Amino acid sequence: MNRIENIERAVDDLRSSLAEHRLYQLLRDIDDIQTFMEYHVYAVWDFMSLLKALQQQLTCTAVPWRPRANSHTVRFINEIVWGEESDVNADGVPASHYEMYLDAMREVGADTAGIETLVDAAADVSSLLSHIESSDLPAAVQRFLSFTFRLITEGGTHRIASAFTFGREDLIPDMFLGILREQEADGLLYPQLRYYLERHIEVDGDEHGPLSLQMVSEVCGEDERLWAEAQETAYEALAVRLQLWDAIAEQIAMQQAEREVLVMA
């Protein structure tokens, strides 16, 4: 068994817990999607910071420019940056996927104030961490963001690459599209959200997964310490994601119970 397979085996239980999480069964209508998006948007945003950290460390962003040793990794990172940071939205206007997600949130009536306040306050990582810790964000969101940005400042390239590769989920587009189909059958249309999801699937494709695994292999090389730390980080990244999913599920379940009480009253 190779080292990548060792990591995948070590995190298999966590990935299964995420894939089979009760959260997906709780997402029944647009009210539930609003709540989900108000939590999940922080993961959409922090993904870009992980990506930009990798771009800084694995490509050349300095002047004068110098070539990097592995052009495959350089192309992979720059390709994802191009696709995530400067795609085109439903109106054909250049926009990042984060900005598209905000548009979709507004379309379904989700509150964007929390994430926009945080992004506006993010002058640098140090001040951002202080802001997160003193904010009134849900505890699970604070843990999730603190993990990401402490990793960026302290973790090293191999840990960042591992979190980027193993710590993200790929279930959301299919899950959302199923709910959207039900809404559309009732005459409710959400074109911005549909476009974001379909574009997300199209841009990610099947190529990025294998290339991200190759990136981890190249960064860790033959150093057993780096491989062990990459495995540890993969587990931690999925564990903090699972905590976020648990918190969203609890919030949605509570709101559904409150709605049921109102209906019965």
Side-chain angles (χ1 to χ4, degrees):
M1 182 177 296
N2 65 36
R3 294 165 173 133
I4 290 291
E5 289 173 342
N6 285 338
I7 295 178
E8 291 175 335
R9 182 178 179 182
V11 302
D12 186 61
D13 287 346
L14 282 173
R15 289 183 63 85
S16 295
S17 294
L18 283 165
E20 300 163 9
H21 202 281
R22 71 185 182 105
L23 171 61
Y24 309 126
Q25 281 69 50
L26 290 170
L27 293 172
R28 299 168 187 162
D29 57 33
I30 288 299
D31 289 341
D32 303 327
I33 287 183
Q34 289 172 356
T35 300
F36 178 89
M37 295 181 80
E38 288 167 8
Y39 278 77
H40 179 245
V41 66
Y42 295 96
V44 175
W45 176 63
D46 89 322
F47 171 83
M48 283 303 302
S49 291
L50 284 172
L51 176 58
K52 298 302 281 189
L54 288 172
Q55 186 182 36
Q56 290 175 354
Q57 296 180 30
L58 295 176
T59 77
C60 183
T61 59
V63 178
W65 175 86
R66 291 182 177 85
R68 289 288 188 157
N70 195 305
S71 57
H72 293 290
T73 298
V74 170
R75 181 180 177 86
F76 167 60
I77 294 297
N78 284 335
E79 179 182 298
I80 295 181
V81 170
W82 176 80
E84 293 284 342
E85 192 176 32
S86 56
D87 205 355
V88 291
N89 66 15
D91 299 319
V93 177
S96 67
H97 281 204
Y98 164 74
E99 291 166 307
M100 292 183 202
Y101 199 87
L102 288 184
D103 288 340
M105 288 180 70
R106 297 183 187 105
E107 179 182 59
V108 304
D111 187 359
T112 63
I115 182 64
E116 290 182 294
T117 298
L118 179 66
V119 173
D120 287 343
D124 53 55
V125 174
S126 178
S127 62
L128 174 63
L129 283 167
S130 297
H131 182 82
I132 291 168
E133 292 169 0
S134 62
S135 73
D136 59 357
L137 290 170
V141 172
Q142 290 188 28
R143 286 193 299 269
F144 185 85
L145 292 174
S146 292
F147 170 81
T148 296
F149 287 99
R150 291 194 186 284
L151 183 68
I152 287 171
T153 57
E154 304 168 3
T157 306
H158 60 298
R159 286 189 181 272
I160 298 170
S162 180
F164 181 88
T165 298
F166 298 103
R168 301 288 143 174
E169 30 59 45
D170 54 6
L171 301 167
I172 291 169
D174 288 340
M175 173 186 66
F176 270 23
L177 286 172
I179 297 171
L180 283 181
R181 282 191 288 270
E182 293 176 5
Q183 298 294 316
E184 289 168 352
D186 293 334
L188 299 173
L189 303 178
Y190 299 97
Q192 297 287 345
L193 180 54
R194 173 172 281 281
Y195 180 86
Y196 169 84
L197 296 171
E198 292 177 343
R199 189 64 180 151
H200 189 73
I201 294 169
E202 180 182 353
V203 169
D204 279 359
D206 296 327
E207 184 179 3
H208 288 175
L211 285 174
S212 65
L213 295 174
Q214 181 180 336
M215 172 182 64
V216 173
S217 295
E218 290 168 353
V219 169
C220 292
E222 298 300 320
D223 191 319
E224 295 299 335
R225 179 185 62 83
L226 297 185
W227 278 106
E229 291 179 353
Q231 180 171 310
E232 178 183 57
T233 301
Y235 191 92
E236 291 171 346
L238 286 168
V240 76
R241 166 75 64 167
L242 185 58
Q243 291 173 1
L244 181 63
W245 257 219
D246 288 343
I248 302 173
E250 289 172 9
Q251 180 66 26
I252 291 175
M254 182 180 68
Q255 292 174 181
Q256 289 176 347
E258 292 172 352
R259 291 201 300 266
E260 290 173 5
V261 168
L262 291 174
V263 169
M264 294 173 63

